[in-house]
DNA sequence: CTGAAAGCGCTAACAC
DNA sequence: GTGTTAGCGCTTTCAG
């Protein structure tokens, strides 16, 4: 493995000069620069980034943690982040936590150990004091609302999303509305649940505890929900569902049971995933890719000491189709 | 930032001993070990992996490259890889190429520059000689069939998948069958196309060039295809579609036009994505997650000089639903 | 414009 | 069991 020392010898210059050429520094005589370049070519020089990283104290790698990579929300988020990383010539380390605090810690350590320069939290359940402690080792950007003041935030305004969904259903004449969310401990889950109950009270909607479901992620989950929901009475007239997939499962099973959508059960999802179009599901469109891109740029700007707002919100859009 | 030198001083031992403690070497007197551990605690010691990596000449990071992260096939593949990486305590660098050779090179350089120890190719279009050259810098595992002998392969037996689909359609009485694939230059695309035409000839199926589509990835693409396909005559009786999403789009538009599925047009997809269940799409199930897991383990074993087969195939399964 | 020299923080032969 | 010493490959003052 040839290194700059060998290049320096061959080109009859010092290692410093080689380094300068490598880093495009000014003040290198053209002849010397050419000699160095020539030597690098002849010796097939390849830089070693571990050495560079050690010396510079940074790696140009960002990390992102998500509960599941194979989830349409998170894979789109990662895609957005990845795009911006490519632009800034950063690499992206992706870590899957399964919402396991130990795995989250494992990931945070990558920052402590200087394997990555900054962190993006797609979703995480670790308490604030953990994040506060970790943030001493590098910048953190969260894609969820959370209470830590040490980390920058960019997130989707779930409160307005829930309100949008409820307002829409009320406009369609519904008074009894159920709720289904994913992880109730995540930032998304917390704010969706909170604002749903807030507006339910404010509008005086009818309610039964049987109309609430959490930890629901898949089509299969949706099918189960429909089975539980449709046999009981009273039944809600409409469901607000935090995931298009779960909503798809509910509709699938409801139709199988001969229940008319939306007359007997209105359903609205979240995300505007491709599946929603095919099954004519009304949904709340979330700018997921933009979320990822903004998060990456936020982190990039933080790393470069730019002045950036500490809290940012993205807005949502109602997509009305035939399920409501 | 405290380093092992400070620890050594504080604990009254040599740096070597500290290193030994850090790496759980035998032959360290318990008293010294305790002294070191105590000093590390008091000084809040955090190891620096760039230094470790430089010294050891490896990083414990795998890299994976895919055209798009936000694609159900690839996000599931990455999830499988990520799971095994967590088990082996490897990190995972994910790179999105958009099938751009320059971006692929950018990623390969990460291996040359020693940022990652090994590569997994989710899909890549770079020619063999590039891969051969890169493979000098570390192990490579490809998730597609490709001609380079330097890289290990684990892939899905697309030939058998195409045969399965065609056999099924023939059993249903169809003689005129069209084909729709994604990237025709990728390993998947190449082998699907090749084997489709092979069996078309072998079985003497009817054919029109109008029944072939490539570069099709989304529901919207499927809708376009249906518009093109359904207005022309002769029309195929069935379509083999390389993606459940595209298939979903075709069915969506066909139904909108009042065409009965499968009587007037049979459609079979690939992947068994969640969407296929909801719309009753027959499809070829691919063990994507297993593919990712196997790829990661293959790479891990290669890195550890275990003896592993150079070529591995995974098999497929027909899921019969109502679209055929 | 250029080079000497001192790091960056850790590992690993080798000798005792 | 333990310490000395020489790396790993590059960056960056500082002096000229």
């Amino acid at each position: 493995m040839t290194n700059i020392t060998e290049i320096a010898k061959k080109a009859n210059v010092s290692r410093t000069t080689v380094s300068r050429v490598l880093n495009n520094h000014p003040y290198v005589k053209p002849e010397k620069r050419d000699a160095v370049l020539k030597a690098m070519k002849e010796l097939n020089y390849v830089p070693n980034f571990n050495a560079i990283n050690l010396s510079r104290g940074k790696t140009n790698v960002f990390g992102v943690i998500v509960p599941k990579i194979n989830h349409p929300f998170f894979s789109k988020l990662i895609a957005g982040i990845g795009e911006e990383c490519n632009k800034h010539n950063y690499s992206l380390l992706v870590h899957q936590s399964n919402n396991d605090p130990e795995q989250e810690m494992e990931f945070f350590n990558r920052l402590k150990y200087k394997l990555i320069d900054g962190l993006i939290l797609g979703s995480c359940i670790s308490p604030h004091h953990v994040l506060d402690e970790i943030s001493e080792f590098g910048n953190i950007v969260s894609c969820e609302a959370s209470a830590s003041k040490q980390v920058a935030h960019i997130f989707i305004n779930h409160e307005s999303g829930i309100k949008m969904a409820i307002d829409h259903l009320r406009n369609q004449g519904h008074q009894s509305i159920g709720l289904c969310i994913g992880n109730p401990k995540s930032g998304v889950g917390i704010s969706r649940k909170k604002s749903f109950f807030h507006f339910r009270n404010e509008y005086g909607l009818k309610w039964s505890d049987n109309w609430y479901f959490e930890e629901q992620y898949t089509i299969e989950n949706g099918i189960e929900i429909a089975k539980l929901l449709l046999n009981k009475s009273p039944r809600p007239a409409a469901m607000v569902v935090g995931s298009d997939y779960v909503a798809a499962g509910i509709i699938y099973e409801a139709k199988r049971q001969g229940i008319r959508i939306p007359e007997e059960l209105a359903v609205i999802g979240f995300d505007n995933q491709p599946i929603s179009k095919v099954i004519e599901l009304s949904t709340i469109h979330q700018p997921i890719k933009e979320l990822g891109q903004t998060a990456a740029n936020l982190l990039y700007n933080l790393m470069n000491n730019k002045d950036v707002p500490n809290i940012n919100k993205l807005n949502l859009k109602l997509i009305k189709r035939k399920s409501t």
Side-chain angles (χ1 to χ4, degrees), chain A residues 41-57:
Chain A
K41 201 145 251 167
E42 285 177 14
L43 295 179
N44 246 316
Y45 173 72
V46 173
N48 181 320
F49 266 72
N50 287 316
I52 297 176
N53 293 343
L54 173 59
S55 190
R56 286 216 251 254

Side-chain angles (χ1 to χ4, degrees), chain A residues 49-306:
Chain A
F49 266 72
N50 287 316
I52 297 176
N53 293 343
L54 173 59
S55 190
R56 286 216 251 254
K58 58 188 273 279
T59 60
N60 276 41
V61 179
F62 285 159
V64 56
I65 189 165
V66 296
K68 275 177 56 123
I69 296 169
N70 180 32
H71 178 295
F73 181 92
F74 292 116
S75 71
K76 195 159 187 178
L77 182 74
I78 299 173
I81 297 170
E83 245 174 50
E84 297 308 300
C85 283
N86 282 3
K87 278 187 202 156
H88 299 309
N89 216 9
Y90 265 72
S91 296
L92 183 62
L93 208 62
V94 176
H95 198 93
Q96 191 163 237
S97 72
N98 286 312
N99 280 320
D100 171 5
E102 266 182 52
Q103 278 300 327
E104 293 192 351
M105 204 33 117
E106 197 66 54
F107 178 67
F108 296 150
N109 281 340
R110 306 280 201 279
L111 184 68
K112 286 176 83 165
Y113 298 164
K114 295 188 171 302
L115 230 46
I116 45 191
D117 292 343
L119 247 48
I120 296 176
L121 310 177
S123 171
C124 103
I125 60 169
S126 297
H128 319 138
H129 70 265
V130 173
L131 295 180
D132 290 347
E133 191 199 323
I134 296 302
S135 69
E136 284 175 29
F137 297 91
N139 292 108
I140 305 185
V141 169
S142 169
C143 297
E144 305 180 304
S146 91
S148 171
K149 294 293 170 221
Q150 304 297 320
V151 318
H153 293 83
I154 165 77
F155 56 89
I156 288 172
N157 193 342
H158 297 294
E159 193 183 344
S160 92
I162 289 290
K163 182 168 189 305
M164 232 174 241
I166 294 182
D167 283 347
H168 171 60
L169 291 172
R170 287 179 71 227
N171 284 339
Q172 309 281 333
H174 300 301
Q175 284 296 325
S176 49
I177 304 177
L179 174 67
C180 168
I181 64 172
N183 185 344
K185 284 185 209 139
S186 71
V188 186
I190 291 171
S191 59
R192 281 188 181 159
K193 189 171 172 182
K194 193 175 144 198
S195 38
F196 182 90
F197 287 126
H198 169 80
F199 291 113
R200 184 201 61 183
N201 292 341
E202 187 167 321
Y203 295 144
L205 300 176
K206 297 209 186 80
W207 180 253
S208 154
D209 284 345
N210 290 329
W211 301 349
Y212 172 72
F213 302 87
E214 58 183 34
E215 299 279 4
Q216 308 296 319
Y217 306 98
T218 64
I219 291 182
E220 280 69 27
N221 292 153
I223 292 177
E224 283 312 308
I225 291 175
K227 286 184 181 159
L228 287 173
L229 204 60
L230 301 176
N231 295 327
K232 284 206 185 112
S233 127
R235 204 162 80 187
M239 284 294 292
V240 171
V241 184
S243 144
D244 282 347
Y245 281 90
V246 178
I250 294 179
I251 292 179
Y252 175 83
E253 174 63 18
K255 283 194 175 161
R256 213 187 54 76
Q257 293 193 22
I259 289 176
R260 282 170 305 142
I261 310 285
E263 294 81 359
E264 299 179 77
L265 181 70
V267 179
I268 184 164
F270 269 84
D271 271 12
N272 194 22
Q273 293 290 341
I275 196 175
S276 64
K277 172 161 190 171
V278 177
I279 61 169
E280 302 287 5
L281 172 67
S282 295
T283 189
I284 306 289
H285 172 85
Q286 311 195 100
I288 306 175
K289 192 168 191 184
E290 191 187 341
L291 176 63
Q293 292 175 316
T294 315
N297 286 324
L298 206 54
L299 187 52
Y300 181 78
N301 288 332
L302 280 172
M303 305 291 317
N304 294 289
N305 298 312
K306 299 232 175 86

Side-chain angles (χ1 to χ4, degrees), chain A residues 38 242 292 300 308-309:
Chain A
K38 182 156 162 272
Y300 181 78
V308 291

